[in-house]
Amino acid sequence: ARRARRPIVGGNWKCNPDKVSKLDGLIANIQAVDTAGCDVFVCPSPLHVAYCNGKFTNGAKVVPQNCNAMGCGAYTGEMAVEQMKDLGITQVLIGHSERRGEFGIFPFDDNTTLAKKLKYVLDAGMSCVFCIGEPKEIRERGLDAVLAEMDKQLDQIYHLLDPSRVVIAYEPVWAIGTGLTATPEDAQATHAGIRALIAKKASPAVAEGIRIQYGGSANAKNAPDLAAQPDVDGFLVGGASLKPEFKDIVAAMAKAKSA
């Protein structure tokens, strides 16, 4: 029963690429992935979602990088889940650290707006990848401080955590795009701590069933050791998802979880 959680790996292309002409090559990288032992999704930039949608025959899903909590209407610059559903899209990502205001970017979201968004997404019948994570200042204070911050970020959504429809993506923000990576032991300790919080604040069954991705500079080299950790159920991959090595990251995860 322990290995009932199916691994899940996503590629977040962020605000890339700069030209539509480059999309076919990036799509080919995702299309090359074997999804037999692992769920796979990709998050294209908003302008590229429609182009990428329907291009994958291997089961990979297109997952937009954000949505609003209001639906269609006078919300300039926003994307609505109703529009996504019409495109046949079933899943959306919210709460990425870059949307929460990291790296000097204006904070578009906070824990309260994200709780509203998650409820709206689930009420609409969609599923969600919900990102949480801590900056370097908190990590430097130790694991207890990190988990206190994770509790704060999860506090308004514990009651919404349906393992069949919500995936948690844990991002050590200090490891995004910096080349720094948590050691496999650090990643495991943090993921286990998050799972313990969910067991306490939601239920042990939810904690056992929910998938927690690691989102800190995963690449083909470090993927096998990270994937071997029992509470790491997948990856949310940034820069490496724009490269052919993405298939190797997925293969490492599938192999580790089939063992």
Side-chain angles (χ1 to χ4, degrees):
R2 162 64 196 88
R3 194 57 260 155
R5 294 193 299 270
R6 180 171 163 84
I8 181 166
V9 174
N12 180 12
W13 292 350
K14 306 190 179 185
C15 194
N16 294 297
D18 56 345
K19 293 181 171 64
V20 171
S21 59
K22 296 179 181 176
L23 285 172
D24 286 346
L26 296 181
I27 288 167
N29 289 344
I30 309 297
Q31 183 67 20
V33 169
D34 180 357
T35 62
C38 187
D39 290 344
V40 174
F41 66 86
V42 63
C43 303
S45 69
L47 286 171
H48 296 155
V49 166
Y51 182 90
C52 296
N53 194 41
K55 293 285 198 303
F56 303 106
T57 59
N58 63 346
K61 287 186 176 181
V62 171
V63 174
Q65 297 172 7
N66 183 40
C67 67
N68 70 19
M70 290 79 69
C72 296
Y75 308 114
T76 302
E78 290 290 342
M79 296 186 286
V81 295
E82 290 81 359
Q83 296 167 321
M84 296 172 193
K85 288 172 71 175
D86 182 61
L87 289 170
I89 289 168
T90 60
Q91 193 166 30
V92 63
L93 179 140
I94 60 174
H96 193 278
S97 57
E98 288 153 19
R99 305 286 307 170
R100 289 176 180 262
E102 295 300 336
F103 313 119
I105 301 170
F106 179 82
F108 295 96
D109 270 314
D110 59 32
N111 296 330
T112 300
T113 63
L114 290 166
K116 288 178 185 168
K117 285 186 179 186
L118 180 58
K119 185 176 188 312
Y120 194 92
V121 167
L122 296 176
D123 285 350
M126 301 257 293
S127 58
C128 186
V129 179
F130 191 97
C131 301
I132 60 175
E134 88 284 352
K136 196 172 184 182
E137 312 83 77
I138 293 179
R139 170 56 64 170
E140 286 173 344
R141 299 200 327 248
L143 184 59
D144 288 348
V146 170
L147 293 175
E149 176 64 20
M150 298 306 92
D151 188 27
K152 196 183 296 182
Q153 292 181 21
L154 291 167
D155 185 55
Q156 298 179 61
I157 66 161
Y158 281 120
H159 67 290
L160 296 171
L161 296 181
D162 174 349
S164 68
R165 297 174 62 204
V166 180
V167 172
I168 300 290
Y170 163 68
E171 311 176 278
V173 176
W174 46 273
I176 298 174
T178 61
L180 297 170
T181 313
T183 66
E185 294 74 24
D186 283 341
Q188 168 58 22
T190 309
H191 280 231
I194 293 167
R195 205 176 297 284
L197 283 170
I198 295 169
K200 185 178 171 188
K201 304 285 183 86
S203 78
V206 169
E208 179 61 31
I210 202 156
R211 297 179 290 179
I212 306 175
Q213 294 180 302
Y214 173 77
S217 297
N219 56 46
K221 188 177 176 188
N222 62 30
D225 287 342
L226 286 163
Q229 305 307 311
D231 285 296
V232 175
D233 301 310
F235 297 123
L236 181 60
V237 183
S241 69
L242 296 161
K243 301 172 184 175
E245 72 181 85
F246 185 71
K247 69 177 185 301
D248 301 323
I249 297 172
V250 174
M253 178 57 67
K255 182 181 179 184
K257 301 311 181 186
S258 66

